[in-house]
């Protein structure tokens, strides 16, 4: 039933020099951003009406305070230990912390830290573990922070209790938005491939939600093996966009179609025909539209006449 099964916070901390640091934070339900972080005042930004889940304002205030203290403390510690641990400015620290909900009772918490874009250390079974990429500096950092039992307790409780509870509350409160179905729009475009007799056909599919979708270039019932799927990319309004392309000999383009299956469409797949069929459709439309219009007009005229007949 639930497509959304993970919640995580992202922290990006930039250290320019001994006196300048910046922290950015955000909260994500799978790939949907639900929270921001106002770093000047140290407050949580709730991006949706349901972003508080079922947590009380009190519990949220406590979490906000915890994050504020964490950001201030972490920044100071890092600045203090930078020269001691032989780090050089500028550098960037990225943290992702959260949990994956596999079922109502099974959750897996995580806390991972990267330094300059490479895995550095993570939290596993109540202790900090250096990543293989993290060299001796990661080992040193883990050695130091493993001595703070209360921090480990707090992290453990956050990722294995607070986080799964929060997800369940979010999923319930945000049900309307999260289970929405938005139909895709699709259109075709093409360009010649320079120096060849081939065409580059593009099937654009945009504005759909949720993310899973099936798009294929077809000839009749036959899937075209040369079909290339792009990456599903986010639109600004929270819907998704996908480009599916095919290289084809120009004279073989006629008769190809792009077929789209998506949960919002039920069984009514979108099928767009390339070239020949497209123009056939336009020809049909050009013939049928005036015909329909004249029938409608005739009916209307007849009706008007019969109204006038009524004494
Ligand atoms: C520290 O970095 C900030 C941001 O890049 C810069 O504006 C500031 O002048 C730097 N300060 C020193 C002492 O280098
Ligand atoms: C929120 O909902 C979850 C799941 O139904 C529940 O376990 C939790 O106790 C509720 N309340 C809070 C404050 O977490």
């Amino acid at each position: 039933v639930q497509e959304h099964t993970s919640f995580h916070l992202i922290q990006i901390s930039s250290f320019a020099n001994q006196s300048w640091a910046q922290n950015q934070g955000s909260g994500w339900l799978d790939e949907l951003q639900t929270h921001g972080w106002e770093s000047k005042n140290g407050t949580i930004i709730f991006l949706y009406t349901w972003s508080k889940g079922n947590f009380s304002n009190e519990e949220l205030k406590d979490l906000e305070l915890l994050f504020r203290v964490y950001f201030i403390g972490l920044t100071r510690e890092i600045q203090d230990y930078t020269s001691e641990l032989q780090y050089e400015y500028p550098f960037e620290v990225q943290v992702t912390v959260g949990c994956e909900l596999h079922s109502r009772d099974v959750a897996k918490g995580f806390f991972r830290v990267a330094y300059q874009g490479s895995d550095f250390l993570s939290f596993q079974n109540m202790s900090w573990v250096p990543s293989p990429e993290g060299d001796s500096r990661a080992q040193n950092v883990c050695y130091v922070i493993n001595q703070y039992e209360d921090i480990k307790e707090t992290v453990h409780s956050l990722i294995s209790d607070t986080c799964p509870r929060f997800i369940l509350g979010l999923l319930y409160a945000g049900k309307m938005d999260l289970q929405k179905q938005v139909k895709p729009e699709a259109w075709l475009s093409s360009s010649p491939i320079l120096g060849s007799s081939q065409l580059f056909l593009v099937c654009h599919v945009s504005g759909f939600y949720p993310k899973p979708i099936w798009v294929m270039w077809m000839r009749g019932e036959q899937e075209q093996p040369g079909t290339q799927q792009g990456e599903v990319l986010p639109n600004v309004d929270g819907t998704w966009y996908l480009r599916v392309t095919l290289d084809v000999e120009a004279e073989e383009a006629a008769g190809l179609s792009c077929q789209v299956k998506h949960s919002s469409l039920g069984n009514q797949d979108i099928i767009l025909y390339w070239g020949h069929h497209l123009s056939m459709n336009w020809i049909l439309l050009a013939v049928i539209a005036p015909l329909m219009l004249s029938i409608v007009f005739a009916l209307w005229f007849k009706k008007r006449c019969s109204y006038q007949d009524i004494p």
Side-chain angles (χ1 to χ4, degrees), residues 8-267:
H8 66 283
L9 304 174
I10 292 181
Q11 169 198 345
I12 301 173
S13 299
S14 312
F15 294 83
N17 51 47
Q18 184 60 36
S19 53
W20 193 96
Q22 174 188 277
N23 291 306
Q24 291 170 284
S26 52
W28 301 76
L29 185 60
D30 281 337
E31 291 169 294
L32 178 70
Q33 187 182 354
T34 49
H35 299 80
W37 178 252
E38 166 55 70
S39 56
K40 273 208 190 75
N41 310 320
T43 52
I44 300 172
I45 302 165
F46 298 95
L47 296 177
Y48 293 93
T49 50
W50 46 267
S51 290
K52 294 183 176 182
N54 66 348
F55 278 26
S56 64
N57 284 334
E58 248 173 347
E59 190 163 12
L60 290 166
K61 281 283 161 212
D62 287 348
L63 285 169
E64 199 172 71
L65 183 63
L66 180 70
F67 298 145
R68 204 180 298 157
V69 169
Y70 163 79
F71 275 128
I72 295 171
L74 183 79
T75 306
R76 194 181 303 143
E77 291 293 316
I78 290 180
Q79 284 170 336
D80 287 353
Y81 283 102
T82 292
S83 53
E84 194 173 315
L85 293 171
Q86 292 152 19
Y87 291 100
E88 277 173 20
Y89 293 107
F91 61 88
E92 193 129 314
V93 175
Q94 293 158 296
V95 178
T96 174
V97 48
C99 61
E100 271 171 28
L101 208 60
H102 294 290
S103 72
R104 214 182 159 77
D105 308 310
V106 184
K108 192 169 162 288
F110 54 86
F111 192 125
R112 291 193 287 267
V113 180
Y115 168 75
Q116 298 293 51
S118 296
D119 286 342
F120 190 67
L121 61 87
S122 63
F123 186 74
Q124 308 202 350
N125 302 325
M126 291 303 287
S127 70
W128 300 101
V129 181
S131 304
E133 301 90 332
D135 69 34
S136 63
R137 296 190 292 192
Q139 287 167 11
N140 289 339
V141 173
C142 287
Y143 177 76
V144 173
I145 57 177
N146 267 323
Q147 295 170 20
Y148 297 99
E149 288 300 330
D150 44 351
I151 293 181
K152 292 192 284 189
E153 294 285 345
T154 305
V155 167
H156 177 72
S157 139
L158 267 182
I159 64 178
S160 54
D161 171 53
T162 314
C163 178
R165 259 193 309 124
F166 191 59
I167 291 188
L168 289 173
L170 271 187
L171 288 174
Y172 187 76
K175 205 160 50 180
M176 292 293 280
D177 271 351
L178 299 170
Q179 291 177 6
K180 71 182 174 183
Q181 293 282 335
V182 188
K183 288 184 185 178
E185 276 182 52
W187 67 97
L188 305 178
S189 69
S190 75
S191 52
I193 298 174
L194 289 179
S196 82
S197 55
Q198 289 194 319
L199 270 182
F200 180 65
L201 300 184
V202 185
C203 181
H204 308 258
V205 186
S206 186
F208 54 92
Y209 188 93
K211 194 176 181 183
I213 194 162
W214 183 93
V215 182
M216 188 59 72
W217 278 101
M218 310 284 285
R219 185 181 298 283
E221 299 283 293
Q222 201 81 43
E223 295 181 11
Q224 295 302 291
T227 299
Q228 300 268 352
Q229 295 262 345
E231 205 183 327
V232 180
L233 301 170
N235 283 324
V236 283
D237 62 359
T239 63
W240 296 97
Y241 169 84
L242 174 64
R243 239 170 72 119
V244 172
T245 62
L246 183 67
D247 292 348
V248 66
E249 287 299 328
E251 68 266 23
E252 287 170 10
L256 287 170
S257 61
C258 174
Q259 186 168 356
V260 181
K261 292 178 190 287
H262 187 257
S263 53
S264 65
L265 298 168
N267 292 324

